[in-house]
Amino acid sequence: MNPQSATSYARLIDLLKPHARSLLWGGACMVIYVACWPLLARLAGELIPAIGDGEFSRVIRVITIALIVFLIQKLAQFGQDTLFAGPALWLSQDLRSDLFRTLQQVELGSIEKLSAGDLTYRLTEDADRVGEVIYKTIQDTMPSILQLLAVFIYMVFLDWQLSITTLILAPLVALLVSQFGAKVLKAAERSQKQVSDLAGLIGEAIQGLPLVRAFAAESWLQLRFENEINQHRKARYKTLRLLALQHPVVGFIEAGGILAVLAIGTIRIQSGDLDAKGFSSYVAALLMLIDPISHLTTNFNEFQQGQASLRRLREIEKQSKEPSDLKNAKSVTKLKGDLDINSLTFSYLGDKPVLKDVNLRINAGQKVALVGPSGAGKSTLFSLILRFNKAQQGEIKLDNEDISLLKVKELRGKLALVPQQSIIFSGSIEDAIKFGRKATDEELIYSAKMANAHEFINELPNGYKTKIEERGTNLSGGQIQRIAIARAVLGNPSLLLLDEATSALDADSEEAVQLGLRQAMKGRTVLIIAHRLSTVQGADQIIVLDKGSICEVGTHDELMRRKGRYRVLCEKQIIRDGQCE
Ligand code: ADP
């Protein structure tokens, strides 16, 4: 197991180290708490014969001492529980933070394979469960084990022969508990997977709600949902039935044990080996074993469920990570924006090549339109320039530097992507444009003006401080797009990668977005996945990509005259919104 893995046990212990002080004080409280149990058993041994003898003053004295012991014990328990709660909560927070960091480093291709709902479930519920189990382990399991040991040692001290009976029963209980534990673990894993699937479906359903309505597919979706929750109920029922069976079985063995001890104890009293006082203490101590055993049983199950969660968290860590920078990776300073692509060939995971021997030269400041049918490899080319993927052959050079030799974060800082359907995070408009970068108010307003967004932002009730709701529902499609353009411009990128929106914006929005784009493109190298005639006509160069290869290069007029692939695309309205002449 990788010791650095966020979910390895060594790492869990590492995460607890900064809280050693609280843990030590909590441990001290725990020792006091546990030590009180044999003391109470001894007091019970005094009390029961005293009650039998009717010695009122002795009864009062023992009760008073017992009350004081109880008080000390409960105070110690409070100290133990609160002192352990902090470190356990910190641990679960650190674990979650580590995992989120890992998630940010996982290759995009691997993340796309996992559903958003499933990932959310893992990072919330599973991480929570692990935290809870750790809390239970330190706050409940450890004292229960110690209590079991302390009380049992006291019992051996009282009568070792009688203790042998108890000892014979203990492994039987342990065996049954562990057998059940393994079954509970399997059932828990199945039921957690069901919840993950459910979360995935809910995520899809929420995203696709308008689509579902449009297709009147509500009853189909409801049926799928019912099916999922039905599976979930069944899986959960199996776990609960196992748990329900475990308690009576373990309880019955315990009760049988106690009755056996009582019977043997009576024989030992009759033979004069044990007095009534000792036997009373012994029975009291025996009863004190039941509670920790039942706690251990429950905690063991939870521990098994926690292990299932830990395993699911580990799966995130197993996903392949983005390769880190080379040791001697170069810093990216100012870029002019010359882009050279030489003999680039790329395929996804052993599939056939998606890009084949692509060669391309874009001079700084040029606007180049990339056109081609869906699946031609246009977005893949973007992902290679952004270093989301690495080509098997060939190279991409920016200002004559191979991008794979540059520091990836600095490289991405000089590039900007405006995707077809922009995603903006909830928060204020200012936050959405800055997107974690530092910028002055002037820079913020400048980029918004460039994106033709300043005017509409100013008209909003709180201007740049206006809150954007989740998925930008309080903004129009065109407004979101313009915020995304401002976000791209703010970093003053040398190379702008634009994926032109294909979904129809209304004419006014379209015009406003186009104006923003035209302004944003000024003075930069631009590679644009184009779908509109007006865009290609304005480009310095058009590159026609088909099945991963460049088949034509030229201006609109040149390519129309050539009557080749480009003209066909135009006539088939793949390049649309205009007359192809
Ligand atoms: P375009 O942007 O021109 O529509 P893409 O670059 O998205 O084309 O896709 C090119 C080809 O690569 C398509 O056949 C697509 O199915 C495939 N592809 C895209 N992304 C992945 C991926 N993550 N894994 C495997 N194949 C992919």
Side-chain angles (χ1 to χ4, degrees):
M1 199 193 308
N2 171 10
Q4 280 316 305
S5 140
T7 52
S8 77
Y9 291 107
R11 177 83 185 117
L12 295 185
I13 292 172
D14 258 3
L15 290 175
L16 282 175
K17 275 187 190 156
H19 310 289
R21 250 172 92 106
S22 296
L23 290 172
L24 274 177
W25 281 113
C29 288
M30 186 166 78
V31 170
I32 297 173
Y33 167 77
V34 170
C36 289
W37 285 118
L39 214 61
L40 287 167
R42 191 181 147 69
L43 288 172
E46 299 250 349
L47 185 65
I48 296 164
I51 294 172
D53 297 347
E55 290 184 46
F56 189 67
S57 63
R58 214 168 94 202
V59 169
I60 293 294
R61 188 171 58 84
V62 176
I63 285 180
T64 313
I65 300 172
L67 262 178
I68 295 169
V69 176
F70 265 125
L71 187 68
I72 294 171
Q73 191 193 37
K74 295 305 156 198
L75 282 174
Q77 190 178 21
F78 170 74
Q80 166 205 296
D81 288 358
T82 44
L83 283 161
F84 284 155
L89 287 174
W90 267 112
L91 185 133
S92 110
Q93 179 175 330
D94 291 342
L95 186 72
R96 210 173 266 165
S97 153
D98 275 5
L99 277 164
F100 199 66
R101 192 168 303 115
T102 309
L103 191 68
Q104 307 233 43
Q105 292 160 356
V106 170
E107 265 186 354
L108 288 177
S110 310
I111 292 197
E112 279 160 9
K113 281 185 217 129
L114 301 166
S115 96
D118 178 52
L119 273 175
T120 312
Y121 181 82
R122 287 179 199 226
L123 281 166
T124 49
E125 295 292 318
D126 281 329
D128 248 355
R129 183 160 292 145
V130 172
E132 266 164 32
V133 166
I134 285 157
Y135 177 60
K136 270 268 170 76
T137 305
I138 15 189
Q139 169 266 355
D140 197 30
T141 307
M142 269 169 28
S144 293
I145 292 174
L146 282 185
Q147 179 179 342
L148 217 56
L149 278 175
V151 172
F152 190 70
I153 291 169
Y154 179 64
M155 285 162 70
V156 172
F157 165 79
L158 283 174
D159 189 330
W160 66 267
Q161 283 116 317
L162 204 51
S163 301
I164 289 178
T165 320
T166 321
L167 205 59
I168 291 168
L169 285 167
L172 195 65
V173 176
L175 187 77
L176 270 164
V177 169
S178 69
Q179 288 234 326
F180 266 105
K183 283 202 173 134
V184 169
L185 173 65
K186 270 208 186 116
E189 270 184 328
R190 264 197 302 272
S191 122
Q192 277 156 6
K193 186 175 172 317
Q194 284 297 335
V195 181
S196 271
D197 291 349
L198 193 63
L201 179 65
I202 293 174
E204 267 180 13
I206 291 170
Q207 262 197 334
L209 218 52
L211 199 70
V212 171
R213 299 253 167 106
F215 278 82
E218 289 96 338
S219 44
W220 167 81
L221 185 63
Q222 184 70 26
L223 206 69
R224 254 189 84 173
F225 188 74
E226 303 278 348
N227 202 9
E228 284 288 344
I229 52 175
N230 202 23
Q231 302 284 348
H232 169 240
R233 179 186 52 80
K234 282 184 188 160
R236 195 72 200 128
Y237 179 69
K238 271 191 189 154
T239 319
L240 291 180
R241 200 177 51 184
L242 271 174
L243 290 173
L245 192 62
Q246 184 175 28
H247 288 294
V249 171
V250 174
F252 182 74
I253 294 171
E254 279 172 2
I258 292 167
L259 292 175
V261 169
L262 283 178
I264 299 170
T266 316
I267 296 168
R268 288 187 62 73
I269 290 176
Q270 273 178 352
S271 64
D273 293 323
L274 194 65
D275 62 2
K277 199 169 136 184
F279 187 64
S280 303
S281 289
Y282 195 92
V283 173
L286 190 69
L287 294 176
M288 284 175 191
L289 289 185
I290 296 174
D291 213 28
I293 288 179
S294 108
H295 278 224
L296 285 177
T297 315
T298 318
N299 293 358
F300 186 66
N301 292 332
E302 283 183 22
F303 184 73
Q304 298 283 23
Q305 296 190 10
Q307 279 224 318
S309 290
L310 203 59
R311 219 172 278 167
R312 287 161 48 76
L313 291 180
R314 252 187 230 135
E315 277 170 23
I316 298 180
E317 296 196 326
K318 280 196 209 141
Q319 305 295 327
S320 41
K321 313 273 175 320
E322 275 201 344
S324 42
D325 284 336
L326 295 173
K327 260 204 190 112
N328 49 353
K330 290 183 194 156
S331 276
V332 183
T333 45
K334 248 186 111 50
L335 280 183
K336 256 170 55 204
D338 285 325
L339 180 74
D340 279 290
I341 297 179
N342 301 322
S343 314
L344 198 72
T345 298
F346 171 77
S347 58
Y348 289 100
L349 292 176
D351 288 345
K352 60 180 182 10
V354 171
L355 291 174
K356 284 169 264 179
D357 195 27
V358 172
N359 289 287
L360 188 62
R361 158 104 197 154
I362 305 177
N363 293 326
Q366 270 194 323
K367 321 259 163 297
V368 171
L370 206 55
V371 299
S374 165
K378 305 179 292 291
S379 312
T380 304
L381 187 62
F382 272 21
S383 80
L384 291 172
I385 297 173
L386 284 159
R387 271 182 60 186
F388 293 160
N389 291 304
K390 188 166 172 17
Q392 284 83 8
Q393 278 173 42
E395 56 181 8
I396 300 175
K397 284 181 162 180
L398 255 173
D399 285 11
N400 242 351
E401 291 278 9
D402 185 343
I403 60 164
S404 62
L405 305 177
L406 301 175
K407 291 191 174 155
V408 71
K409 284 204 173 146
E410 295 184 14
L411 166 74
R412 288 177 187 160
K414 294 286 171 203
L415 310 177
L417 174 72
V418 181
Q420 211 175 73
Q421 265 201 326
S422 292
I423 294 171
I424 47 176
F425 278 63
S426 52
S428 70
I429 290 196
E430 180 179 337
D431 291 341
I433 298 177
K434 286 187 179 169
F435 209 31
R437 295 163 295 187
K438 286 197 171 59
T440 60
D441 282 351
E442 286 74 41
E443 287 166 330
L444 178 75
I445 292 171
Y446 175 78
S447 38
K449 278 186 177 162
M450 283 288 237
N452 192 25
H454 179 68
E455 221 168 283
F456 92 78
I457 295 173
N458 258 348
E459 281 166 13
L460 292 172
N462 292 314
Y464 283 83
K465 303 277 178 221
T466 307
K467 288 264 166 274
I468 302 173
E469 277 158 27
E470 215 182 292
R471 287 183 291 126
T473 39
N474 53 343
L475 296 173
S476 75
Q479 288 173 334
I480 291 177
Q481 208 61 17
R482 282 184 276 163
I483 288 177
I485 298 168
R487 178 175 68 190
V489 172
L490 186 84
N492 193 18
S494 312
L495 175 60
L496 204 54
L497 300 171
L498 304 175
D499 194 349
E500 200 170 41
T502 42
S503 54
L505 293 171
D506 62 70
D508 282 348
S509 303
E510 174 71 41
E511 204 176 307
V513 173
Q514 288 299 336
L515 176 63
L517 277 178
R518 275 198 301 280
Q519 295 181 157
M521 287 196 271
K522 264 187 212 142
R524 303 177 213 282
T525 311
V526 181
L527 191 55
I528 177 164
I529 298 179
H531 301 280
R532 293 200 168 77
L533 196 65
S534 56
T535 313
V536 283
Q537 279 172 329
D540 299 314
Q541 217 188 141
I542 299 164
I543 300 195
V544 185
L545 202 63
D546 197 8
K547 296 192 185 108
S549 301
I550 294 180
C551 55
E552 284 176 46
V553 178
T555 62
H556 173 72
D557 293 338
E558 284 165 10
L559 294 179
M560 285 307 282
R561 278 198 298 276
R562 203 177 291 170
K563 298 189 178 156
R565 191 83 183 97
Y566 178 79
R567 195 182 173 112
V568 176
L569 287 176
C570 232
E571 283 166 358
K572 280 192 181 163
Q573 285 277 304
I574 288 177
I575 300 161
R576 53 192 179 78
D577 298 345
Q579 283 299 312
C580 282
E581 275 314 319

